[in-house]
Amino acid sequence: REAEFDAFAALAPLPPHVQALCVDAVEAEVAQAPRGACYLVLTHEHDLDLRITEAVLRRGDFAYCGLIGSRTKRARFVHRFQERGVSDTAIARLTCPIGLP
């Protein structure tokens, strides 16, 4: 949602280490990040959150992967990750829930 970045930039410029990137296949961008990257997943769609988070967990070389959501969302996602063959070791590294209860 490119307009969201424009609205934010009007309030304050992005820090130099932050890049706004608007692409159709967001989860494909995970492969472009450097080893040891930190990921914070907070989109407007649970399905998109799932795809991005799964890509991070499968890649495995991240320093941090946080997902905005509740305990219920985590439980649903963990179940889906397990069905898709994501390792329990990778899933255990996921920080979720984060955010307000």
Side-chain angles (χ1 to χ4, degrees), residues 31-48:
Q32 303 303 314
R35 293 180 58 85
C38 295
Y39 300 86
L40 178 59
V41 182
L42 59 150
T43 77
H44 59 291
E45 291 180 21
H46 282 263
D47 185 55
L48 185 54

Side-chain angles (χ1 to χ4, degrees), residues 18-93:
V18 175
Q19 177 185 4
L21 182 63
C22 297
V23 296
D24 290 329
V26 177
E27 65 276 18
E29 293 301 312
V30 170
Q32 303 303 314
R35 293 180 58 85
C38 295
Y39 300 86
L40 178 59
V41 182
L42 59 150
T43 77
H44 59 291
E45 291 180 21
H46 282 263
D47 185 55
L48 185 54
D49 289 345
L50 182 74
R51 293 191 326 257
I52 295 168
T53 305
E54 182 177 355
V56 173
L57 296 179
R58 286 191 183 281
R59 179 169 166 169
D61 64 352
F62 56 94
Y64 174 85
C65 182
L67 172 65
I68 298 291
S70 63
R71 288 185 190 122
T72 303
K73 181 176 180 178
R74 179 188 175 89
R76 282 194 317 264
F77 277 36
V78 165
H79 179 72
R80 287 181 166 176
F81 294 146
Q82 289 171 331
E83 285 182 336
R84 296 173 183 204
V86 176
S87 76
D88 289 338
T89 302
I91 293 169
R93 295 182 59 208

